[in-house]
């Protein structure tokens, strides 16, 4: 559970990784020109700069896609930490505490865990951290 995150955050993570990877590829390609490796350095620079540019453009598309998904995501209160989080699909994780969330009755807690479900149903989230309008 330490390495899992919400779906929106996963998309953003991949976008960031592609951006950083693309920049790294462009820097490696630039080394062919800076260190004056001749014709081979120029070809290396063209290849790596093109791959880096493609990677950055793909990351821009992923960021755009994640933003569009985020606008249509269902906003719910996390029963564990009480913060508002966005949920994509039938199950997702809280963006803050990474608790598994679900709106589908099929994924409700089992009978042996019924007391925990009853406690979560009576949980009143604290809204002290939210901004109040003036």
């Amino acid at each position: 559970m330490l390495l899992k995150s919400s779906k929106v955050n996963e998309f953003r993570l991949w976008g960031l990784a592609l951006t950083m990877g693309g920049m790294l590829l462009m820097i490696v390609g630039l080394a062919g020109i800076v260190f004056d490796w001749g014709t081979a350095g120029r070809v290396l620079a063209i290849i790596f700069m093109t791959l880096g540019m493609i990677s950055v453009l793909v990351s821009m598309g992923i960021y755009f896609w994640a933003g569009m998904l985020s606008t249509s995501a269902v906003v719910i209160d996390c029963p564990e930490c009480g913060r508002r989080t966005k949920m994509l699909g039938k199950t997702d994780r809280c963006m803050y505490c990474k608790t598994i969330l679900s709106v589908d009755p099929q994924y409700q807690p089992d009978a042996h865990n019924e007391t925990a479900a009853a406690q979560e149903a009576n949980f009143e989230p604290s809204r002290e951290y939210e901004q109040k309008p003036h």
Side-chain angles (χ1 to χ4, degrees), residues 11-12 14-20 52-68:
F11 288 132
R12 291 176 183 157
W14 280 105
L16 180 66
L18 283 173
T19 300
M20 294 299 139
M53 184 180 63
I54 290 170
S55 176
V56 169
L57 288 174
V58 168
S59 76
M60 186 178 69
I62 289 175
Y63 270 120
F64 179 76
W65 186 34
M68 290 295 108

Side-chain angles (χ1 to χ4, degrees), residues 118-134:
Q119 289 175 350
E120 288 178 6
N122 295 329
F123 179 72
E124 183 64 33
S126 172
R127 301 205 185 260
E128 296 173 359
Y129 58 86
E130 291 184 359
Q131 296 287 333
K132 305 265 191 275
H134 297 331

Side-chain angles (χ1 to χ4, degrees), residues 3 33 36 43 49 54 63 80 111 113 115 117 126 130 133:
L3 299 176
I33 296 173
D36 194 26
V43 171
M49 293 288 252
I54 290 170
Y63 270 120
E80 190 74 26
N113 202 6
T115 57
S126 172
E130 291 184 359

